[in-house]
Amino acid sequence: MLVVSFAENAIMSSCVKPLVKSNEPPIVLLHGFDSSCLEWRYGYPLLEEAGFETWAVDILGWGFSDLENLPPCDVVSKRNHFYQFWKSYIRRPMILIGPSLGSAVAIDFAVNYPEAVEKLILIDASVYAEGTGNLATLPRSVAYAGVYLLKSLPLRLYANYLTFTNMSLGTILDGTNVGRLHCLLPWWDDATVDFMTSGGYKIAPLIRKVKQKTLIIWGANDRIVSNKLAVQLHCELPNAILRQIPDCGHIPHLERPDSTVKLIVEFIKTEKKKLSRCVSQVSQVSS
């Protein structure tokens, strides 16, 4: 836990801090809708083994941060909280990685705070939904009934079944139990209802405003977000490349962590080599 000043209160904000320190831009890992930094339990160690300074951060309202004071958990509050986290602890341009709805969080942040983001990596990006849709207009009593269902074991188990391609029942059950741990916190219901009724993320108009070089990673067998939207996103982002992982579903960093991290590392190292060549050419011209 790290203390983040936010609104009128300081929030004990959950994250995984890096063991490896580096002068290179750090990698900062977000997570998907109603998830936590535990989503990176397989990919995070591989990134550290590759020598990268790596942070995994829980988005405000999800994960394990202490929300006893019940701060607002709408899009603006999530963005502001993450900016205060970045400003307090990271303090330099980062390589921001967002999976699923975390891609919407990443794009929203990169457009609003371009100085904080050097590169973007979007994984099976959920960025074309119209926020929370009709859920935003539900009476609060109905919304609370909905979030009670959302954290139920059967629904989570079915969602995990759809998420993965070739995982055993035991692995899916384990993922379900880990994935719903944060739902057991006493403030989870209130934070989730607050986000649902706020309208959620509507970031499609921001996509063409992204300036950062972007890697799009997609599971070829994603049953949650069609890979046709991967092609659309690739076309709309001004400076992006697209890579697909065969025989993989919606969360590649859980289902195929080795392949996912390999693509991330190749992207970062390739872009670093390009930058070094440009600097070298400029130096030669100057001399």
Side-chain angles (χ1 to χ4, degrees):
M1 291 276 195
L2 293 176
V3 177
V4 176
S5 297
F6 177 70
E8 297 178 355
N9 301 303
I11 294 176
M12 292 297 292
S13 302
S14 52
C15 66
V16 179
K17 296 187 290 185
L19 295 175
V20 176
K21 289 291 186 178
S22 170
N23 293 324
E24 299 296 325
I27 292 175
V28 178
L29 306 171
L30 301 178
H31 55 76
F33 170 73
D34 191 29
S35 185
S36 75
C37 55
L38 293 179
E39 192 176 298
W40 285 96
R41 56 192 179 274
Y42 301 140
Y44 186 98
L46 298 177
L47 288 166
E48 286 220 317
E49 285 174 14
F52 293 100
E53 178 180 332
T54 307
W55 298 72
V57 180
D58 278 342
I59 299 164
L60 180 72
W62 299 317
F64 299 95
S65 296
D66 185 345
L67 305 182
E68 187 174 4
N69 293 323
L70 297 179
C73 294
D74 55 81
V75 168
V76 173
S77 297
K78 290 179 190 296
R79 182 198 311 143
N80 290 343
H81 173 264
F82 184 42
Y83 177 71
Q84 292 302 324
F85 182 94
W86 174 83
K87 185 179 177 182
S88 299
Y89 299 104
I90 298 174
R91 304 189 191 98
R92 62 196 198 274
M94 59 187 166
I95 298 165
L96 185 58
I97 303 182
S100 194
L101 190 67
S103 293
V105 179
I107 288 175
D108 174 77
F109 189 84
V111 171
N112 282 279
Y113 296 108
E115 73 279 7
V117 181
E118 179 172 296
K119 295 180 184 67
L120 273 177
I121 299 176
L122 310 177
I123 303 175
D124 290 73
S126 177
V127 293
Y128 290 110
E130 284 298 312
T132 54
N134 293 330
L135 296 176
T137 62
L138 289 175
R140 291 187 73 84
S141 58
V142 178
Y144 274 98
V147 300
Y148 180 81
L149 179 63
L150 180 62
K151 68 179 175 182
S152 68
L153 185 60
L155 184 62
R156 292 270 171 165
L157 192 60
Y158 179 65
N160 273 267
Y161 166 74
L162 291 178
T163 295
F164 301 111
T165 299
N166 289 311
M167 304 284 269
S168 68
L169 179 60
T171 302
I172 291 175
L173 183 59
D174 178 65
T176 300
N177 288 328
V178 173
R180 67 188 292 268
L181 277 175
H182 65 284
C183 301
L184 306 179
L185 293 171
W187 44 78
W188 177 84
D189 298 61
D190 294 320
T192 304
V193 167
D194 189 77
F195 173 72
M196 284 172 49
T197 56
S198 73
Y201 283 91
K202 303 174 185 177
I203 60 96
L206 298 181
I207 291 172
R208 296 185 186 274
K209 296 181 181 180
V210 172
K211 304 300 183 186
Q212 293 85 353
K213 178 74 176 181
T214 304
L215 168 65
I216 304 166
I217 298 174
W218 218 275
N221 297 341
D222 191 337
R223 293 184 287 181
I224 306 294
V225 183
S226 169
N227 56 17
K228 293 180 181 177
L229 294 178
V231 177
Q232 180 179 341
L233 182 60
H234 183 219
C235 292
E236 292 183 5
L237 281 168
N239 189 11
I241 59 174
L242 171 62
R243 299 289 183 264
Q244 293 205 49
I245 299 178
D247 194 31
C248 182
H250 184 61
I251 311 182
H253 46 296
L254 275 176
E255 189 169 356
R256 299 284 184 272
D258 291 331
S259 300
T260 305
V261 169
K262 181 181 179 182
L263 289 174
I264 292 170
V265 171
E266 287 176 352
F267 172 69
I268 295 172
K269 290 186 175 180
T270 299
E271 291 304 306
K272 183 180 178 182
K273 287 179 182 177
K274 288 180 181 178
L275 179 60
S276 297
R277 284 199 298 267
C278 288
V279 171
S280 177
Q281 290 170 0
V282 169
S283 299
Q284 290 173 9
V285 171
S286 300
S287 60

